[in-house]
Amino acid sequence: MRITVRFLTVLVLVVLAIPAQARDMTGKGGIGVLVTTEGMPMLAFRYWRTHLALEGLLGYVATTPTPATLERPDTTQLRIALGFLYRLADDQKASLALGLRPWLQYTLQSATDQKDQSTWRFGAEIPLQGEVFLNDHISLIGHVGLTIDLATPQARTDGSATALDLRKDTTLLIGVRGGFSGGAGVTYYF
């Protein structure tokens, strides 16, 4: 009798078990918008292979204060990033990925009382990205990560000087700055 009850219990549990399947993103591409903690909106394209996604991001932001002065210049920034994400965990409605995104940024500043100044910056971020799927085509994305920025030192906004700021010949100087990055966005998969 005991063996029959145990056998029937196991049989019922096996029959009633619903298999949990992860969302299959293999071969799907998506286009979306990502807003970073730096305030730069970015157009994002993502293409998933089995556990690896390739990404391309393009960001643009411009500020035009009136009048443009030395303290508040007219600023235009353009950022291009290419990267990849590796899926760490996957579920039917969510996934978690870790990646690497090298980027290149061009900044142009102009004011009425000075000549235009342009700079190039290179960096990379290591995002930890969570993605929640609302349906088969739309997902919400949030990411946080570490970033490394390589370029000439940026001026400090508090007015104090650093040892790097005191150097006279800064044309060949490369500064390394680390920081925090993050953002949120939405993607439409087709």
Side-chain angles (χ1 to χ4, degrees):
M1 177 80 169
R2 286 184 174 170
I3 295 176
T4 306
V5 172
R6 287 182 186 168
F7 177 75
L8 289 175
T9 304
V10 169
L11 182 64
V12 169
L13 290 175
V14 168
V15 171
L16 293 179
I18 300 171
Q21 296 177 348
R23 181 173 299 277
D24 185 17
M25 297 302 292
T26 304
K28 290 189 179 181
I31 190 163
V33 177
L34 182 67
V35 178
T36 65
T37 53
E38 297 171 341
M40 180 177 287
M42 300 187 83
L43 181 64
F45 175 77
R46 186 173 303 109
Y47 178 74
W48 279 101
R49 291 307 303 153
T50 307
H51 289 288
L52 188 69
L54 302 175
E55 287 189 314
L57 293 102
L58 177 65
Y60 174 81
V61 67
T63 58
T64 309
T66 305
T69 62
L70 185 60
E71 292 82 22
R72 294 183 47 200
D74 181 12
T75 305
T76 302
Q77 295 177 338
L78 177 67
R79 182 180 284 191
I80 299 170
L82 296 173
F84 70 90
L85 294 168
Y86 180 77
R87 187 177 303 139
L88 299 173
D90 203 11
D91 190 35
Q92 181 64 21
K93 296 289 184 185
S95 68
L96 182 67
L98 182 67
L100 177 65
R101 287 186 189 134
W103 53 263
L104 179 67
Q105 180 173 309
Y106 176 73
T107 303
L108 175 65
Q109 292 183 333
S110 60
T112 56
D113 52 354
Q114 73 173 15
K115 66 176 189 168
D116 292 353
Q117 294 181 344
S118 63
T119 57
W120 287 94
R121 298 190 80 75
F122 172 75
E125 64 180 343
I126 303 170
L128 179 63
Q129 177 173 296
E131 189 168 12
V132 176
F133 298 95
L134 302 178
N135 58 34
D136 287 340
H137 299 287
I138 298 175
S139 70
L140 299 177
I141 294 171
H143 79 269
V144 295
L146 299 175
T147 184
I148 297 173
D149 187 354
L150 303 171
T152 55
Q154 292 179 325
R156 292 178 52 140
T157 57
D158 61 3
S160 62
T162 65
L164 295 176
D165 295 331
L166 297 176
R167 289 193 53 161
K168 298 295 181 204
D169 179 22
T170 59
T171 57
L172 298 177
L173 182 65
I174 295 179
V176 178
R177 179 177 65 104
F180 167 79
S181 66
V186 61
T187 301
Y188 176 78
Y189 287 99
F190 41 89

